[in-house]
Amino acid sequence: HPRVRGELKMLGYSAYLHPVGADLLLGVGQDATEQGRQLGTQLSLFDVSDPRAPTRLHQLTLPEGSSEVEYDHLAFLYWPPTGLAVLPLQRWSRNDVFVGAAGFRVDAAGIADLGRLSHPVKSEWRGQIRRSLVVGDRLFTLSEAGILASPLATLGEGVWVRFPRT
């Protein structure tokens, strides 16, 4: 017997919601205009402590971006010890093409953009990051082309291992 207990009106949508703390959900989806035109990947932090009155605490839009997380939850990584959220990100605009992953620090204070990771490949499609995971003090990102091990603390330059072509 499902019932609506509360609602939140906002532009755009969250295709995926992930718990990131007590009574907090991180939404990943698309920002949009009032007419429904998509503007880019949107991250929203929601306070759901009162189900009758959920609120959006913070929002971050990545213009003209899209993420595999919108249709595949397995592409999303949240690492609770550091509040790190990682999602594959693609951006195809006239002036900027990016294929890789984006990292964010998420907590009740906000959503901080930590930076971008990309795989050093000639074809953007082969370098599309599909998954990420944490092992020790490294963030590993995986694409069809290979795997990149980056420092977890900075998401800086890492060690790249290319997969042999099959």
Side-chain angles (χ1 to χ4, degrees), residues 90-155:
Q90 297 82 41
R91 182 177 174 173
W92 305 91
S93 73
R94 277 185 232 139
N95 303 323
D96 183 31
V97 173
F98 175 80
V99 176
F104 304 91
R105 180 96 49 236
V106 180
D107 58 31
I111 304 168
D113 193 336
L114 297 179
R116 306 288 181 274
L117 298 163
S118 59
H119 289 184
V121 295
K122 293 179 185 172
S123 165
E124 283 93 5
W125 289 111
R126 287 200 72 229
Q128 208 171 5
I129 293 174
R130 307 298 305 275
R131 300 292 186 265
S132 55
L133 66 131
V134 173
V135 178
D137 62 351
R138 296 278 178 190
L139 173 69
F140 288 83
T141 52
L142 178 71
S143 71
E144 177 185 326
I147 191 164
L148 178 68
S150 305
L152 184 60
T154 65
L155 303 185

Side-chain angles (χ1 to χ4, degrees), residues 1-2 14-15 20 30-31 38 40 56 60 63 66 70 86 106 111-112 124 129 136-137 144 153:
H1 302 287
S14 292
V20 295
Q30 286 285 311
D31 194 2
Q38 294 180 354
R56 180 162 61 182
L60 177 73
S66 65
E70 293 177 46
V86 178
V106 180
I111 304 168
E124 283 93 5
I129 293 174
D137 62 351
E144 177 185 326

Side-chain angles (χ1 to χ4, degrees), residues 20-101:
V20 295
D23 300 321
L24 296 175
L25 293 176
L26 179 66
V28 179
Q30 286 285 311
D31 194 2
T33 65
E34 288 188 19
Q35 293 75 34
R37 185 173 73 81
Q38 294 180 354
L39 300 173
T41 299
Q42 174 176 261
L43 284 85
S44 298
L45 187 63
F46 300 101
D47 178 345
V48 292
S49 57
D50 180 357
R52 294 177 309 261
T55 58
R56 180 162 61 182
L57 301 174
H58 305 284
Q59 173 195 13
L60 177 73
T61 299
L62 304 164
E64 300 177 342
S66 65
S67 177
E68 187 175 344
V69 174
E70 293 177 46
Y71 54 88
D72 184 354
H73 70 280
L74 297 175
F76 181 82
L77 169 72
Y78 179 67
W79 189 245
T82 62
L84 174 68
V86 178
L87 55 142
L89 181 67
Q90 297 82 41
R91 182 177 174 173
W92 305 91
S93 73
R94 277 185 232 139
N95 303 323
D96 183 31
V97 173
F98 175 80
V99 176

